[in-house]
Amino acid sequence: MNDRPRMISLSEWDDRYKELSDAGLKEPAYGGPLSRHVDDGDLRLRALRFDNSAAALRLWNFLLTEEDRLSAARASGKKLVGTMKDLGTVPVIAYSSPELVAFYPDGAWWIPCVMELGAGLLGIADSLGIDESFCPVRAMLGAFATEAHFPIPDLLICSVGATCDDFSAIAQRLASLGHSIAWWEAPARRKPDPGEESITLPGGFRAAVDQVDFMKSELQRLRRIIEKEAGSKIDDSALCAGIKAANGVRRILAELRLTVFRAAAAPLPALEMLIAEMLAIHFCSDRTESALVLQGLLDEACARQAAGVGVLPVDAVRVFWVNPVADLRVMNLLEKCGGRICGSEFLFSHALDEIPEDLPPMDALARMALADPMIGGAEDRADRVCADIELFGAEALLISRIPGASHCATEGQVIGDRVRSRLGIPVQEIEVPPVSDSLLPTLSTRIEALVETVLQRRKK
Amino acid sequence: MKTVVYSCPFVPAEWIAAHGFGPKRIIPSIDHDRAPSGLTQGLCPYADAFTGEAVADSRLGAIIFTTVCDQMRRIPDTRTSRTETPLFVLNVPATWETASVHKLYRNEILRLGRFLCTLGGERPNNERLASIVLDYDRRRSELRSLRDRMTARQFSEKIAAFHRDGSLESDFDPPSGPTGAGARPTPIALAGGPMLRHHFDLFDIVEDAGGTIVLDATGTGERTIPPPVDRRLAREDPLAALADVYFGRIPDAFRRPNSELYIWLKKEFAQRGVEAVLYVRHTWCDTWQAEAMRMKEWCGLPFLTIESGGDSHVDGRTLSRIQSFMEVVR
């Protein structure tokens, strides 16, 4: 069997799957050939190129079977917590109770891409007055209406305040359709005033102690709501265990990012790295399994790095990526254009940084929640991007605008300006809709321009 | 006296005045002669217009943005807002059902006060603040009483003038009679987000087409006038009284949940006999765009949404749509 790392199509994966199976591949219960997901309507898989490792196969199968896991959890008597917008905070609390499984209905924003608009979710959102002037997360509204993509949660929680207006408005529309939502306030993180008592948050941002205290009181309120749903208390020791388990996942992911982004030849492709990062937010509804999936990827990446092999040429241009893409295919496009991903900021860096374990758990969670890049200023985000670009050695910055997103009108300028002035590397902005096929020539041109600029700079 | 400019109804004018500044809540206009913002597509024209107008005035003491709108919150980060004028972002919580967010708002007002003190303002004592709060309350009561004595446009312009400089002079002509030969004008509610200056023309357009705006429920109209203060509380704890009437009582689409907006609309629609709704929203304003269809379903009345996309006047297409709508509802 040829185990040379490479990127393969879905049909090639069928042959590869047979090869791996013949060689004794051991899979979890959700395993199987990737192409079976196309029968479920995940048509976009046909247009993607995947890593050819067993670890990547497991990652994809894990991602694409989440709905089954949620249904199984409900059937087993667990309660489902739908947590919205905070991207990484509330699940740590919910998973501290054995009675609960938390997931993000927000994840429905990829359904139009994965099903190539076949699910009609954006049309349903349109019919509810949430048109294309909103971010693709509006697909969530359609998913609630059809009840076809995830079980309707027993408890819905949504952070508002200093979040994007798109999500807040969509969630309010959801509430108007009869879904009860527990709202909580995410205050706008601000720079501490001169002389004001402040602390450093995970990831390096600073915040006023008053803001941390407020965040703690909001999370404490949520904890009571979640306990009520669980039917049992979540005490501090359970929370500490929950934080420790979340940090376990985060540590593996941090090592994976460092290994892949800093390797001479990319051990794993951009697309698989994007999916891997997403696991940190809510563990894809199975915290233990998500750690195993990530460990598999890390082992594969380490093995490839040790062997000096990768999925891309060593001279691929090292690009730092800002914001998640609505169309997964564009991650492949970067590599087709001669780039590779060397760092990313997908709007949830607070879900990647370790949660302090030497603090009372609610204090630690409050600090983590306040480190959310979305609730702070774009300058904070820009500083974090600069630091990570230097850490991973990226040569260029690609900012991927999210169509319709309220924050994207301003933050690209701020981040781009800061990176140009501080690091002097080229910056390019693109906008990626859920299915970008008709825009691929334009997107290619822009990405190629970025890649060529870097290649020219290397010659100087 | 230096002027502090803002556009958000959740900024208490009394607090600014009590620190020795002139509060000025503006309704911006689209000015195509101003330097372009330089921001990419997706910026709300209202936020852009407010920023452009505020930063163009170099005499201001400060500019206040708030978190009521995500884009307004973020503009101070951008080079568009680069100005020598000090900027302040007031965190107005979206949720309102817990005591902790009321406390958060109050703390934000105190932080605003400290900011004003760094600009030369003086922290007011309770007595001075109470006096200013009660004076504003009296004048707002007077403002509300003007509604039946002037045309809808005059009243909305009067509200804008009051917010701009506290002006209350009544130099308007008395209200004109019903338009058309004996026809009863159709009572219309103007609803939605904040208006730009040229949107005052909507009053005339509706009137010319046989209607009359009986309720200005936009983000610059009656909806955003704080209700009367608790006068006893105002004397004992004027800051608490301020926080109560601003944060606690102004209904808005951005609140979570925003049920109070509908309670207010239900009451006002019934009192004014509203028969149709003209709804104004700005391109890229998610908050009011998302509310449009819900409000239409909720009220069950003829409903026309007009989108304000950065023009400096009511364009011909919008004019035609309003005229057609009025023909249908008359």
Side-chain angles (χ1 to χ4, degrees):
Chain A
M1 188 174 63
N2 183 359
D3 277 335
R4 183 174 61 87
R6 62 195 188 97
M7 292 165 68
I8 58 176
S9 68
L10 186 68
S11 57
E12 287 175 299
W13 245 117
D14 283 340
D15 298 334
R16 174 72 176 156
Y17 184 76
K18 188 168 181 318
E19 265 182 16
L20 289 169
S21 299
D22 291 348
L25 173 71
K26 296 272 187 295
E27 286 191 283
Y30 57 80
L34 278 186
S35 57
R36 77 187 197 279
H37 299 294
V38 174
D39 298 334
D40 296 335
D42 297 343
L43 305 178
R44 198 59 169 168
L45 301 183
R46 299 173 306 182
L48 302 179
R49 295 189 69 78
F50 307 86
D51 183 75
N52 69 338
S53 65
L57 173 71
R58 186 173 180 176
L59 172 74
W60 280 102
N61 275 326
F62 185 53
L63 174 78
L64 297 170
T65 54
E66 184 175 15
E67 187 187 346
D68 300 338
R69 268 192 302 287
L70 289 170
S71 298
R74 170 161 284 168
S76 72
K78 290 190 177 186
K79 295 285 184 65
L80 303 184
V81 178
T83 174
M84 300 190 285
K85 195 68 206 98
D86 64 277
L87 298 182
T89 302
V90 175
V92 178
I93 303 175
Y95 278 99
S96 298
S97 165
E99 314 298 328
L100 302 174
V101 169
F103 75 102
Y104 282 94
D106 322 20
W109 96 307
W110 266 329
I111 294 175
C113 162
V114 173
M115 301 187 79
E116 294 192 336
L117 306 177
L121 302 188
L122 298 181
I124 294 169
D126 279 343
S127 73
L128 294 167
I130 306 295
D131 63 13
E132 69 278 2
S133 67
F134 288 81
C135 142
V137 79
R138 68 196 176 103
M140 179 185 77
L141 209 51
F144 271 97
T146 58
E147 301 187 16
H149 301 280
F150 48 74
I152 300 302
D154 300 290
L155 171 64
L156 265 178
I157 294 171
C158 185
S159 67
V160 288
T163 59
C164 64
D165 281 349
D166 299 76
F167 203 94
S168 178
I170 292 166
Q172 177 62 67
R173 189 72 177 107
L174 184 63
S176 77
L177 299 174
H179 294 276
S180 176
I181 294 175
W183 307 100
W184 66 283
E185 186 75 30
R189 186 182 67 244
R190 58 177 171 79
K191 294 201 185 312
D193 292 331
E196 187 175 21
E197 195 182 356
S198 64
I199 49 178
T200 301
L201 305 174
F205 302 140
R206 284 198 74 78
V209 168
D210 276 358
Q211 289 207 299
V212 178
D213 290 345
F214 174 79
M215 186 63 99
K216 183 181 169 185
S217 72
E218 281 296 274
L219 294 181
Q220 189 65 32
R221 187 168 65 80
L222 278 186
R223 179 184 182 177
R224 300 293 169 235
I225 293 169
I226 293 168
E227 284 176 341
K228 193 174 170 194
E229 192 63 42
S232 58
K233 288 265 180 204
I234 302 172
D235 61 23
D236 277 3
S237 63
L239 272 178
C240 288
I243 288 171
K244 196 170 178 173
N247 279 341
V249 172
R250 292 173 185 214
R251 270 193 288 275
I252 300 169
L253 184 57
E255 202 177 336
L256 177 65
R257 280 163 50 90
L258 206 58
T259 303
V260 171
F261 296 156
R262 293 181 69 168
L268 289 172
L271 183 51
E272 277 72 11
M273 287 305 291
L274 168 67
I275 305 299
E277 290 200 23
M278 293 290 166
L279 298 193
I281 301 173
H282 75 286
F283 320 115
C284 213
S285 304
D286 185 336
R287 193 174 57 191
T288 306
E289 183 63 21
S290 67
L292 295 172
V293 168
L294 289 173
Q295 188 62 53
L297 286 171
L298 176 59
D299 292 346
E300 183 69 37
C302 289
R304 287 176 177 183
Q305 188 193 25
V309 294
V311 289
L312 295 165
V314 287
D315 62 351
V317 166
R318 305 167 69 86
V319 174
F320 191 97
W321 196 292
V322 168
N323 289 339
V325 282
D327 185 354
L328 299 171
R329 190 177 182 184
V330 176
M331 301 310 285
N332 286 161
L333 186 64
L334 169 70
E335 291 157 341
K336 192 178 168 195
C337 293
R340 60 172 281 199
I341 194 163
C342 279
S344 53
E345 208 281 46
F346 293 138
L347 276 171
F348 51 82
S349 56
H350 61 304
L352 307 183
D353 298 321
E354 285 191 42
I355 309 163
E357 292 186 37
D358 56 350
L359 294 171
M362 294 309 289
D363 293 78
L365 288 171
R367 292 187 189 193
M368 172 211 158
L370 203 56
D372 183 343
M374 192 72 168
I375 69 174
E379 287 183 339
D380 272 359
R381 230 185 136 199
D383 288 343
R384 171 73 186 245
V385 167
C386 285
D388 283 356
I389 285 174
E390 288 185 312
L391 174 67
F392 298 127
E395 302 166 281
L397 173 66
L398 193 60
I399 300 171
S400 172
R401 287 162 55 91
I402 300 167
S406 59
H407 53 101
C408 284
T410 54
E411 67 184 359
Q413 182 201 78
V414 179
I415 295 171
D417 284 355
R418 181 66 59 96
V419 168
R420 280 189 201 94
S421 67
R422 187 177 294 177
L423 304 177
I425 63 172
V427 177
Q428 181 67 274
E429 241 184 309
I430 57 173
E431 181 165 295
V432 181
V435 177
S436 64
D437 295 2
S438 62
L439 291 175
L440 284 179
T442 308
L443 291 170
S444 293
T445 303
R446 294 184 78 87
I447 297 173
E448 282 166 0
L450 185 71
V451 167
E452 283 169 20
T453 303
V454 172
L455 293 175
Q456 287 296 320
R457 290 161 61 100
R458 281 183 186 172
K459 287 179 188 167
K460 287 178 185 169
Chain B
M1 183 168 61
K2 283 267 191 181
T3 299
V4 174
V5 76
Y6 56 98
S7 68
C8 176
F10 292 90
V11 177
E14 298 88 326
W15 187 241
I16 295 168
H19 282 78
F21 291 87
K24 183 178 181 183
R25 182 176 152 203
I26 61 168
I27 296 181
S29 61
I30 301 280
D31 181 354
H32 293 300
D33 292 334
R34 266 200 301 266
S37 68
L39 290 168
T40 46
Q41 192 192 12
L43 185 68
C44 155
Y46 177 85
D48 197 26
F50 169 74
T51 308
E53 194 160 318
V55 301
D57 187 348
S58 58
R59 298 159 305 170
L60 294 177
I63 305 169
I64 301 177
F65 294 83
T66 75
T67 60
V68 161
C69 155
D70 189 30
Q71 297 204 334
M72 282 287 201
R73 164 170 80 99
R74 293 173 178 278
I75 281 177
D77 283 348
T78 67
R79 70 173 103 98
T80 303
S81 62
R82 218 162 273 170
T83 168
E84 295 298 313
T85 308
L87 308 180
F88 185 87
V89 180
L90 182 76
N91 185 9
V92 181
T95 58
W96 53 274
E97 294 178 297
T98 62
S100 61
V101 289
H102 286 259
K103 184 179 167 195
L104 175 61
Y105 177 78
R106 184 184 163 114
N107 286 342
E108 281 293 291
I109 297 301
L110 288 169
R111 193 170 67 83
L112 170 61
R114 291 194 293 275
F115 166 76
L116 293 173
C117 288
T118 66
L119 305 180
E122 192 175 337
R123 172 83 199 263
N125 59 30
N126 265 9
E127 193 179 350
R128 172 173 159 74
L129 181 59
S131 158
I132 291 173
V133 168
L134 290 169
D135 179 56
Y136 265 80
D137 188 54
R138 179 188 56 74
R139 290 192 288 138
R140 271 198 295 265
S141 172
E142 203 175 321
L143 173 68
R144 276 188 290 268
S145 73
L146 295 175
R147 184 166 64 82
D148 297 330
R149 289 192 269 144
M150 49 180 63
T151 65
R153 176 174 182 149
Q154 287 168 346
F155 183 53
S156 285
E157 287 181 334
K158 178 59 76 178
I159 295 170
F162 178 76
H163 288 143
R164 192 171 57 243
D165 56 15
S167 158
L168 264 179
E169 299 91 46
S170 290
D171 53 358
F172 290 113
D173 295 332
S176 54
T179 53
R184 181 187 74 96
T186 307
I188 306 287
L190 187 61
M195 292 203 296
L196 288 160
R197 216 171 293 158
H198 69 270
H199 286 140
F200 285 115
D201 291 344
L202 293 172
F203 290 85
D204 299 336
I205 292 168
V206 167
E207 199 163 308
D208 289 346
T212 181
I213 290 174
V214 294
L215 174 66
D216 179 358
T218 65
T220 37
E222 292 172 66
R223 176 169 61 74
T224 64
I225 302 175
V229 295
D230 177 332
R231 299 184 74 80
R232 196 175 78 178
L233 181 61
R235 279 186 285 270
E236 291 170 357
D237 186 351
L239 188 56
L242 264 190
D244 175 52
V245 293
Y246 278 90
F247 182 68
R249 309 281 286 280
I250 297 176
D252 200 279
F254 93 100
R255 316 301 293 264
R256 293 292 173 268
N258 60 19
S259 45
E260 297 298 300
L261 172 65
Y262 288 88
I263 291 170
W264 185 87
L265 288 173
K266 186 179 180 183
K267 179 170 146 264
E268 298 298 330
F269 276 24
Q271 279 184 1
R272 316 283 177 96
V274 170
E275 293 179 11
V277 179
L278 187 59
Y279 187 93
V280 183
R281 72 164 186 89
H282 301 286
T283 307
W284 302 114
C285 173
D286 296 326
T287 303
W288 287 98
Q289 164 65 10
E291 222 53 43
M293 185 171 286
R294 180 182 170 206
M295 195 176 289
K296 181 180 179 181
E297 291 166 356
W298 167 82
C299 69
L301 298 171
F303 195 97
L304 179 70
T305 299
I306 58 172
E307 182 172 336
S308 171
D311 287 323
S312 56
H313 60 282
V314 177
D315 62 77
R317 180 174 166 271
T318 303
L319 175 65
S320 175
R321 291 183 69 225
I322 295 171
Q323 288 168 339
S324 302
F325 178 69
M326 292 307 302
E327 269 185 47
V328 172
V329 301
R330 263 206 334 249

